[in-house]
Amino acid sequence: MTTTASQEAFLQAFHARRPAVTAEAFGRGRAPDGRSSYELLCDRVAGRRRVLDLGCGDGLLLEVLAQENGRQLAGLDLSAQALALARRRPALAGARLEEGRAQELPFADGSFDACVCHMALMLMGEIEQVAAEVARVLSPGGVLACVVGGGAVGGEAYERFLGLLRNTIEEVPASRRIPALGDRRTRSRDGLDEVLGPAGFAAVGWETVPIDLSGRVEQVWAAVSGLYDLGPLDTAAVERLRDAFFAEMRDMTTPEGAVPCAFKVHIATARLH
Ligand SMILES: C[S@@+](CC[C@H](N)C(=O)[O-])C[C@H]1O[C@@H](n2cnc3c(N)ncnc32)[C@H](O)[C@@H]1O
C-alpha cells in the first residue's frame, strides 16, 4: 500500500467506529466571540452560492452553511459511515453528498464558488493533487476557506492530556502506531502558500483563534480522546489514560466543576486567480 493509501485506510477504519467524533468535540467549542469554528468558517464564504465541503464528515458544517438561503451544497468524504449521518440531516436533503477522495473530485470544472474544509485538509496526502482538484472545481475568483488544527493553547487540559498521551503511546509497539497523517505544510501560512500558489491561488489569509472546549471533565475527556492517536490503543490502555487524565484534572477543576480546555485553530482563506 502507498503511504497515502495506508493513511486513508486508517482514517476510514477510525471513522467507521467514530463517524461524528469531530463535530461532537468542536460543535460545542467556542471562539472568543462566542461562535463555533464551524460558524467562523461559514462567515468566510458568506454570499457564495455553490459551496463544496471537503472532508465533510457528518455534515455539521454543511448544515450551518444551509442556513443561508438558496445555496447549492455538496459534501465529499472518505467515510461512508460519516456520510450516512450527513444524509440524515433534514437541512441537507438537497445537498449532493459523495463518498470519495479529495484528490479525485467527482465534480465538473468550475462547479463551485467556494470550497470549505474543517479540520480535514491537514490529514490529506498528495496535497498538491488536492490543491489542483480544488482549483479545477472552483470558478475563477472562487475561495478556499479551511480550518486547520493549531495545537494546545497551554496551561490547560489539552496540553496536560498530550503529555499523558505521549507516555501511553510510547508503550505501543512502533508497528502499531498510526501512520503520520497528511502534509505538515497545511499547518502554516507559508507552507500552505507553497502548496496553493502553484495551483493558481493568491496569497493565503491566516488567522489564529483559540477555541474554548472547557466543560465538565467527562465532556473534556470526550473531546480530547477523539484524537486519531488513540486509534491503535487497546481498551485497557485507553482506560489507564482516562484514569490518569481524570486524576490530573482534579487540581485544575474550578469550584463550579469546570475543567479549562482550549485548542488553537488556524483559519486560512485563499482566492483563486
Ligand atoms: C477530523 S474529521 C473532520 C470532519 C468534519 N469536517 C468536521 O469538522 O466535523 C476529517 C474528515 O476528513 C475526511 N478525509 C480525510 N482525508 C480525506 C480525503 N483525502 N478525501 C476525502 N475525505 C477525507 C475523513 O474521512 C474525516 O471524515
Side-chain angles (χ1 to χ4, degrees):
M1 236 196 260
T2 65
T3 313
T4 303
S6 68
Q7 291 174 359
E8 290 175 8
F10 168 80
L11 288 166
Q12 276 174 320
F14 186 94
H15 287 291
R17 283 184 287 112
R18 303 199 63 183
V21 63
T22 317
E24 283 163 4
F26 277 87
R28 68 171 191 84
R30 290 292 172 264
D33 69 0
R35 285 158 358 111
S36 72
S37 49
Y38 295 92
E39 291 168 320
L40 296 181
L41 190 51
C42 209
D43 280 358
R44 306 302 164 113
V45 296
R48 304 215 170 228
R49 200 170 59 83
R50 302 170 302 160
V51 185
L52 167 66
D53 183 356
L54 212 53
C56 63
D58 75 336
L60 179 59
L61 177 60
L62 286 167
E63 191 171 277
V64 179
L65 287 161
Q67 289 167 10
E68 188 177 305
N69 285 336
R71 272 203 158 129
Q72 271 178 32
L73 296 173
L76 174 113
D77 204 284
L78 287 177
S79 167
Q81 290 79 4
L83 286 165
L85 295 180
R87 290 194 180 103
R88 282 202 217 145
R89 294 181 187 266
L92 303 186
R96 182 170 164 193
L97 298 169
E98 297 276 345
E99 186 178 334
R101 304 178 63 235
Q103 295 84 348
E104 302 167 78
L105 294 176
F107 305 107
D109 297 2
S111 24
F112 298 101
D113 307 309
C115 174
V116 289
C117 187
H118 185 272
M119 298 293 283
L121 194 74
M122 75 271 190
L123 305 171
M124 295 173 182
E126 297 164 13
I127 195 70
E128 282 88 359
Q129 179 63 23
V130 175
E133 278 292 85
V134 172
R136 180 183 67 74
V137 301
L138 283 176
S139 52
V143 165
L144 169 65
C146 310
V147 161
V148 296
V153 166
E156 41 65 62
Y158 183 55
E159 187 186 45
R160 298 260 198 113
F161 172 77
L162 290 178
L164 295 170
L165 179 63
R166 261 191 299 277
N167 299 339
T168 308
I169 286 176
E170 270 164 26
E171 294 163 16
V172 176
S175 58
R176 277 188 36 225
R177 293 187 201 155
I178 69 164
L181 297 171
D183 189 312
R184 285 206 64 76
R185 289 175 295 171
T186 56
R187 293 175 181 268
S188 72
R189 183 184 203 158
D190 288 350
L192 207 50
D193 270 330
E194 198 180 306
V195 170
L196 296 179
F201 287 90
V204 169
W206 189 261
E207 189 188 352
T208 302
V209 182
I211 299 293
D212 188 358
L213 292 167
S214 303
R216 285 179 288 105
V217 66
E218 297 81 10
Q219 289 176 305
V220 171
W221 166 257
V224 297
S225 64
L227 285 188
Y228 293 114
D229 305 71
L230 272 73
L233 301 183
D234 59 31
T235 314
V238 174
E239 278 300 308
R240 281 198 303 279
L241 182 61
R242 185 179 186 279
D243 291 346
F245 181 71
F246 274 58
E248 197 153 326
M249 288 306 102
R250 269 183 218 124
D251 67 331
M252 285 186 101
T253 308
T254 66
E256 295 74 37
V259 169
C261 180
F263 186 91
K264 275 182 282 186
V265 296
H266 306 299
I267 308 176
T269 45
R271 192 183 163 96
L272 191 65
H273 287 300

